[in-house]
């Protein structure tokens, strides 16, 4: 008799992005592109991390609009609600509940060491709120609620992922196996897209210089202009080398959108100047993003469909995450509530 087939359970992917304004080429190449490609092979759960966004003061109307736009844009990028769960974090109350619990298993010193906390407090000295400080345990809650295996993120989130593992290990150490320990899933190419104006800094949504970052929804002519103005160096030779941060960044972006290796790019532009190279990168990026912009225009007009998707996403996310939360509460010793 043949042995019964034991099906391996699918690995769980979780990731999230803040709806804090413009979604950039950095977000797309560092994280979103992987989110899309993982959908066929894994159980994928994705969220708009809107609770994280209020650690920086938001104008209510703009915040609401950015959240709607981000939801439509991620669908346009290729998140398929038939394959993946895709919800808005504030719609699923288990996230804030587990975050409080994890706050109590995270040390002050650990949070003080987070580089993002240090950077953001330096940037907003008039609003160093407690939420900015306890942001990492909320992110840990997002991930741990779903017994996540892999978290596709850019390299700037690596430290938060390491802390998530530490918190989970600490909790498991006290109460026995409760949380799965997640791994970061960081792309080889595109993990850190740099600013076009200062290639020693990462490309960021909040950069004041509009030429420093490309938005996924930028018009082709704006994309071309920003790449034409990208800061490079005086060598005028397209090659990947230490100290050539601007050119290295452009080569990385070119590779992400065309699939070409650096050697192929060097050969393609041998004997040509930066003008030709920058135009080619701009064109390749604009072409890559064009279908996303077109699909976005349809999604953003269809509010009913968006609501249906995020309603369904939140309902399913709640059903999964409440199981972990109940287990956690029981292990700590909370008296179980009666159903409300
Ligand atoms: P956020 O919204 O800042 O960024 C979303 C994703 O984009 C990546 N990213 C980049 N990748 C490459 N180059 C860049 N210049 C670049 N800029 C941003 C980020 O690494 C991230 O993957 N705290 C998170 C959101 C979050 C989350 C989570 C992520 C909340 N809960 C749970 C994973 C799991 C954040 O602020 O990402």
């Amino acid at each position: 008799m043949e042995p019964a087939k034991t099906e391996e359970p699918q690995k769980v992917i979780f990731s999230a992005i803040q709806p804090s304004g413009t979604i950039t080429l950095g977000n797309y190449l560092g994280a979103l592109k992987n989110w899309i490609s993982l959908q066929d092979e894994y159980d994928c759960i994705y969220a708009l991390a809107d609770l994280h966004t209020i650690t920086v003061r938001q104008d209510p109307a703009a915040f609401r609009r950015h959240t709607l736009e981000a939801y439509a844009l991620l669908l346009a990028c290729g998140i398929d609600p038939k394959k993946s769960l895709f919800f808005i974090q504030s719609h699923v109350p288990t996230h804030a509940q587990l975050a409080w619990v994890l706050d109590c298993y995270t040390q002050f010193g650990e949070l003080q060491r987070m580089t993002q906390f240090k950077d953001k407090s330096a940037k907003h000295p008039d609003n160093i709120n407690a939420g900015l400080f306890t942001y990492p345990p909320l992110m840990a809650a997002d991930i741990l609620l779903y017994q996540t295996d892999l978290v596709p993120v850019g390299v700037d989130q690596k430290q938060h992922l390491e802390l998530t593992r530490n918190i989970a290990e600490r909790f498991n150490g006290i109460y026995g196996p409760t949380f799965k320990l997640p791994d970061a899933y960081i792309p080889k190419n595109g993990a850190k897209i740099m600013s076009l104006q200062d290639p020693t800094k990462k490309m960021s949504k909040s950069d004041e210089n509009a030429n420093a970052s490309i938005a996924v929804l930028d018009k082709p002519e704006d994309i071309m202009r920003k790449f034409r103005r990208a800061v490079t160096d005086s060598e005028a030779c397209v090659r990947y080398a230490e100290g050539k941060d601007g050119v290295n960044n452009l080569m990385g972006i070119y590779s992400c959108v065309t699939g070409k290796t650096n050697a192929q790019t060097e050969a393609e532009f041998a004997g040509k100047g930066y003008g030709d190279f920058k135009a080619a990168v701009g064109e390749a990026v604009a072409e890559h993003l064009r279908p996303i912009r077109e699909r976005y225009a349809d999604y953003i007009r269809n509010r009913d469909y968006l609501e249906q998707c995020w309603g369904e996403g939140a309902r399913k996310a709640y059903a999964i995450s409440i199981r972990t939360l109940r287990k956690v509460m029981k292990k700590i010793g909370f008296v179980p509530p009666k159903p409300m």
Side-chain angles (χ1 to χ4, degrees), residues 16 18 26-27 30-31 135 139 142 153-154 156-157 190-191 193 203 205:
Q18 290 194 56
N27 297 130
Y135 177 116
M139 185 164 155
D142 298 339
V153 281
D156 63 331
Q157 296 299 321
I193 301 295
M203 184 181 282
K205 299 171 197 174

Side-chain angles (χ1 to χ4, degrees), residues 14 52 134-144 153 157 160-161 164:
F14 180 90
H52 284 90
T134 59
Y135 177 116
L138 175 59
M139 185 164 155
D142 298 339
I143 297 167
L144 298 176
V153 281
Q157 296 299 321
H160 288 158
L161 251 292
T164 300

Side-chain angles (χ1 to χ4, degrees), residues 7 14 46-47 51 57 79 92 106 117-118 126 133 155 165 186 192 202-203 215 220 231 243 298 301 319 331:
E7 289 242 332
F14 180 90
Y46 298 128
L51 294 174
R57 197 73 72 233
I79 292 186
V92 182
T106 307
F117 171 68
K118 290 190 237 170
D126 53 338
F133 192 62
V155 88
R165 283 177 69 95
I186 295 174
K192 193 168 186 189
K202 79 163 184 177
M203 184 181 282
V231 169
D298 288 336
R301 273 192 241 112
K331 288 197 173 196

Side-chain angles (χ1 to χ4, degrees), residues 14-20 22-32 35 45 47-53 89 95 116 120 135-136 138-144 148 150-158 160-161 164 185-187 189-195 201-205 249:
F14 180 90
S15 200
I17 181 169
Q18 290 194 56
S20 47
T22 317
I23 291 185
T24 68
L25 186 66
N27 297 130
Y28 178 73
L29 297 179
L32 300 177
W35 294 18
I45 305 175
L48 289 184
D50 58 344
L51 294 174
H52 284 90
T53 305
Q89 184 190 32
H95 289 248
Q116 188 169 308
K120 286 212 173 161
Y135 177 116
L138 175 59
M139 185 164 155
D142 298 339
I143 297 167
L144 298 176
T148 301
L150 292 174
V151 186
V153 281
V155 88
D156 63 331
Q157 296 299 321
K158 205 166 157 229
H160 288 158
L161 251 292
T164 300
Y185 184 97
I186 295 174
N189 230 334
K192 193 168 186 189
I193 301 295
M194 309 309 273
S195 152
K201 272 185 7 198
K202 79 163 184 177
M203 184 181 282
S204 160
K205 299 171 197 174
N249 188 38

Side-chain angles (χ1 to χ4, degrees), residues 95-110:
H95 289 248
Q97 287 172 288
L98 183 63
W100 169 254
V101 173
L102 297 184
D103 279 351
C104 302
Y105 294 83
T106 307
Q107 296 303 303
F108 189 87
E110 288 178 305

